[in-house]
């Protein structure tokens, strides 16, 4: 299950695993809600790609300029991204770095 438009973004209430094939070209969208400005929310990214890599761009709702951008390479990679301590909705856009990229990614959110 994937959302190819920002308006139909899948809400990240729990963890999501997804596979990207070389035939897919469109970006995928996910939505993350930050409920408190007192607690830190984090986005966990784990990727496994045969070749190429993935690009994760995080946008604040209503803004065109990205808050953060994370690129991953072909090797097995794990990153944790701190979301801003500001209540609201954030969108995560997942794209392939090269047209030949095939692989899987995992997205998860947690607050502490």
């Amino acid at each position: 299950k994937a959302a190819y438009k920002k308006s139909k973004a899948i809400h990240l209430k729990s963890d999501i695993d997804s596979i990207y094939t070389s035939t897919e070209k469109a970006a995928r969208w996910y939505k993350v809600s930050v409920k408190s400005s007192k607690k830190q929310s984090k986005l966990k990214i784990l990727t496994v790609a045969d070749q190429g890599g993935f690009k994760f761009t995080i946008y604040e709702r209503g803004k065109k300029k990205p808050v953060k951008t994370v690129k991953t390479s072909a090797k097995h990679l794990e990153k944790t991204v701190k979301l801003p301590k500001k209540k609201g909705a954030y969108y995560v856009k997942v794209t392939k770095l090269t047209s030949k990229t095939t692989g899987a990614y995992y997205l998860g959110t947690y607050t502490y």
Side-chain angles (χ1 to χ4, degrees), residues 11-27:
H11 202 284
L12 267 180
K13 292 178 184 168
S14 61
D15 305 345
I16 285 185
D17 292 317
S18 195
I19 296 171
Y20 233 129
T21 61
S22 59
T23 56
E24 286 182 86
K25 291 183 176 31

Side-chain angles (χ1 to χ4, degrees), residues 3-12 27-34 41 43 45 55-70 81-84 86-95 105 107 109:
Y4 298 108
K5 289 183 181 179
K6 188 176 178 181
S7 61
K8 297 190 184 211
I10 297 170
H11 202 284
L12 267 180
R28 294 180 177 180
W29 289 90
Y30 299 95
K31 183 179 180 180
V32 180
S33 293
V34 175
S41 293
L43 181 69
I45 300 169
K55 182 173 149 186
F56 299 87
T57 313
I58 302 166
Y59 296 94
E60 188 178 342
R61 185 171 142 209
K63 308 272 172 134
K64 290 187 179 181
K65 189 177 177 187
V67 176
K68 286 191 176 154
T69 303
V70 177
V81 180
K82 286 183 180 179
L83 294 171
K86 188 176 175 187
K87 273 173 108 175
Y90 294 89
Y91 291 93
V92 181
K93 181 183 180 183
V94 182
T95 52
Y105 61 88
L107 285 173
T109 59

